């Protein structure tokens, strides 16, 4: 892989989303040959199986972006101890019609940040369940349950010094995972 692309799905549409900030800051920890693309999921219709034969343009776009990627990074908030509805909606769209999922075999990374003490641990666990069904090889360790605290980002939006070493290790591990599963 000379110029690997990572599709990034952020499960929050909130303007000041911590998870979007995390996704942006994480991408800066990767070597320059990697490109990270945060995919738009806010314009997807609600999934309706009746539309499987005639998927909306936004759904086709999402699927082709994932198909073109070498890996998929999920950055999830925790909503009521699970993933957000918008993230699940996007996953459902890109997994259908049956037999035409674009996820199978794509190396996945799971991470998330929350204001709660357990830092999206339950949401990530639910997400891992979904990704197992979608046949995505998913990085197991290190796990990263991030608590949104003031020092998480510095003034430039980079990962702050308290968390940088840990998240650098996380990113290095994920990219090694992507390399390992390239063109699998
Ligand atoms: C509908 C809803 C449910 C939430 N449930 C949880 C939860 O189960 N656990 C948790 O730690 N935080 C929960 N939160 C708080 C989120 O962690 C917080 O809003 C966080 O900022 C969301 O991520 P974002 O900043 O990327 O939008 C919830 C927030 C909303 C809006």
């Amino acid at each position: 892989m000379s110029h690997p692309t990572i599709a990034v799905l952020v499960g929050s549409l909130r303007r000041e989303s911590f998870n979007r900030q995390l996704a942006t800051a994480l991408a800066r920890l990767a070597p320059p040959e990697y490109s990270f693309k945060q995919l738009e999921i806010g314009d997807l219709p609600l999934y309706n199986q009746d539309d499987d034969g005639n998927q909306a343009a936004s759904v086709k776009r999402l699927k082709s972006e994932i198909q073109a990627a070498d890996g998929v990074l999920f950055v999830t908030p925790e909503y009521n101890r699970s993933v957000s509805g918008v993230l699940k909606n996007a996953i459902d769209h890109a997994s259908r019609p049956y037999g035409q999922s674009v996820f199978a075999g794509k190396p996945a990374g799971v991470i998330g940040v929350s204001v709660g003490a357990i830092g999206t641990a339950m949401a990530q666990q639910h997400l891992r369940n979904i990704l197992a069904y979608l046949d995505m090889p998913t990085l197991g360790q290190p796990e990263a349950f991030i608590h949104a605290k003031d020092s998480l980002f510095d003034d430039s939006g980079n990962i702050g010094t308290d968390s940088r070493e840990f998240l650098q290790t996380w990113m290095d591990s994920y990219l090694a995972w992507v390399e390992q599963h390239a063109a699998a």
Side-chain angles (χ1 to χ4, degrees):
M1 286 190 299
S2 51
H3 294 289
T5 301
I6 307 297
V8 183
L9 290 174
V10 177
S12 170
L13 304 180
R14 195 169 74 86
R15 259 189 308 278
E16 302 295 325
S17 163
F18 293 124
N19 284 281
R20 188 165 301 283
Q21 292 178 60
L22 178 62
T24 301
L26 278 174
R28 296 179 188 162
L29 300 179
E33 64 268 25
Y34 281 87
S35 100
F36 284 71
K37 184 169 186 195
Q38 292 181 21
L39 306 188
E40 178 62 62
I41 61 172
D43 62 349
L44 300 173
L46 286 177
Y47 178 77
N48 179 341
Q49 197 177 358
D50 290 341
D51 300 330
D52 270 8
N54 184 26
Q55 288 184 310
S58 55
V59 175
K60 288 181 179 156
R61 179 201 66 222
L62 176 76
K63 290 185 76 175
S64 71
E65 288 170 327
I66 294 171
Q67 206 145 30
D70 299 291
V72 185
L73 172 58
F74 294 86
V75 187
T76 183
E78 182 168 284
Y79 276 11
N80 299 315
R81 297 288 184 246
S82 187
V83 296
S84 61
V86 288
L87 180 58
K88 185 61 162 57
N89 187 55
I91 292 172
D92 290 344
H93 272 300
S95 70
R96 289 277 153 166
Y98 183 77
Q100 293 175 39
S101 167
V102 290
F103 289 118
K106 301 271 179 198
V110 172
I111 197 166
V113 52
S114 116
V115 297
I118 60 169
T120 72
M122 291 198 70
Q124 289 190 39
Q125 221 45 55
H126 280 195
L127 183 54
R128 285 178 182 279
N129 201 48
I130 296 165
L131 303 187
Y133 178 70
L134 294 175
D135 205 17
M136 301 185 83
T138 304
L139 178 71
Q141 294 291 341
E143 296 172 305
F145 307 130
I146 315 292
H147 184 216
K149 52 184 182 185
D150 287 346
S151 60
L152 181 57
F153 305 108
D154 68 17
D155 291 345
S156 307
N158 297 311
I159 301 293
T161 46
D162 289 356
S163 308
R164 195 169 304 153
E165 190 181 339
F166 171 68
L167 287 174
Q168 185 68 62
T169 300
W170 189 90
M171 180 52 86
D172 293 347
S173 304
Y174 175 56
L175 296 182
W177 185 253
V178 171
E179 294 279 343
Q180 195 182 323
H181 292 86

